[in-house]
Amino acid sequence: MQRGINADIWEDMKGDLPCLNASESCIIQLQNKAVNENPLLTDLDRKIEEINDRIEDARRDNKRSVNLSVLTPGVRYIFEGAGARGEQPQGQRQPGAIDRILGLFTGLTGINNLLGVIGVPVFQALTGSTPGVQQNNIAIADLQTKVAALVSDRAQLANRVKERVAEEVFEFDVAAREFQLSQEIARRESDRFQLLDVEYRLGQGSTQSYLGNLTALDAKKAATFRSWTAMRRRINQIKLLVLGED
């Protein structure tokens, strides 16, 4: 405890922390790393990503549902004549699929029949009133509400983590200064006691005074050790917050 902390000892204490001081840039680095390494925040990110994937799946299902709701009646009209308006006069051949396809390009009747078949599905698709689409929209809205709640929870948790990191760094800075001060006081007390020890051995001063000075030196060393312990505890707390390790 009587010697200063050299660079090697300090690097060992700092460990994998990117820095360890109360400067604004260092606090920001520690806060960002703490947020990125926090297991609760990582779990929230995973849940948010999963729900967003489910929302995209529901949107793709909506698109497929809309396409099918529009295309299926049209295909049935072309190949089966289903939903066609009017009836062919008796004695005339019923139009086949090729006739209906050609009718789309050669006359208004085929176009009118096709629009009559797909008109309602197209309107439902544009307004989102298709049953399957409505169900998916409700599911999407519920999922979006959950995502918004998780995003809010994540933001609050991230802010708390950042606040804790800043508090611990400032507490460490105080502890480090107290250790440096107590270390200097102990060093001076040790130097003074060495002079008193020489004088005592030369017959100057009483045994009672000598023992009192020795007790005072031990008290200063004990205070320095307590300061050292407090500083190490703060470092370990920062490591726990930032790196998830003690």
Side-chain angles (χ1 to χ4, degrees), residues 77 96-112:
Y77 162 74
I98 295 177
D99 296 319
R100 283 186 285 272
I101 292 174
L102 292 175
L104 297 177
F105 301 98
T106 59
L108 294 177
T109 302
I111 297 176
N112 287 335

Side-chain angles (χ1 to χ4, degrees), residues 35-53:
V35 168
N36 292 333
E37 299 291 337
N38 187 276
L40 294 178
L41 289 172
T42 301
D43 186 57
L44 283 176
D45 287 337
R46 179 183 58 79
K47 290 180 179 178
I48 291 172
E49 183 178 358
E50 289 176 354
I51 295 177
N52 282 330
D53 288 341

